[in-house]
Amino acid sequence: MSGVAISAAVEGMRPFLVETQALVSTAAYGTPQRSATGFDQRRLNMLLAVLEKRVGFKLAQKDVFLNIAGGLKVTDMAMDLSVIAAVLSSNVDTPIESGYCMCGEVGLSGEVRPVTRIEQRIAEAEKLGFTDIIVPYRNKIDKTKFNNINIHPVRKVEEALRELFG
């Protein structure tokens, strides 16, 4: 289904996988709505601005609704990449291939910034049967520890989107 992305998040000491759901539609009224459940509204607005300015996707006249599945409230910055992926997936109505998950903080220039405990995140995704994970390029990873998951390091949001949508 389009508009769904999985993120490897860490809250406290435990890594876990979180489903991010997004719905993007043409604004029915003059002012587009922005709504987030379980995710910081201001951060969503910033990520949408990055998609507009740095990646070139026009969302100014679109309603954007974001939900973190399961009623969770997540504060991990590594969710940024999955929020952007879910929004774009909904906007172009193209699902993300099953087996993919991701983690990465997104900066104002569109760079994918490193996150903490990257190997724990990858191990959790591998344990739950994911075949591919998109991670920040600048995280240092011992790839020999992981045999059953493909690790895709990316520097910019554009690279991550190319990996997901071709």
Side-chain angles (χ1 to χ4, degrees), residues 131-150:
T131 57
D132 295 89
I133 186 167
I134 297 174
V135 299
Y137 182 85
R138 289 185 20 223
N139 271 115
K140 302 297 179 210
I141 301 166
D142 180 5
K143 291 184 179 182
T144 61
K145 291 182 180 179
F146 308 103
N147 299 319
N148 299 321
I149 191 166
N150 299 315

Side-chain angles (χ1 to χ4, degrees), residues 95-101 130-132:
I96 294 171
E97 189 177 321
S98 65
Y100 266 88
C101 70
F130 284 84
T131 57
D132 295 89

Side-chain angles (χ1 to χ4, degrees), residues 22 24 34 43-60 62 64 66 80-92 106-111 156-162 164-165:
V24 178
R34 306 287 194 243
R43 188 126 189 110
L44 172 61
N45 290 334
M46 187 271 297
L47 293 172
L48 294 175
V50 169
L51 271 176
E52 285 256 350
K53 179 83 173 175
R54 304 293 181 205
V55 187
F57 288 96
K58 303 301 178 208
L59 299 168
K62 306 270 184 150
V64 178
L66 184 76
D80 289 357
L81 203 52
S82 70
V83 168
I84 281 181
V87 167
L88 186 61
S89 170
S90 178
N91 189 48
V92 298
V106 175
L108 289 176
S109 66
E111 81 275 14
K156 295 279 213 176
V157 170
E158 296 95 329
E159 291 176 40
L161 297 178
R162 266 195 308 272
L164 291 170
F165 301 109

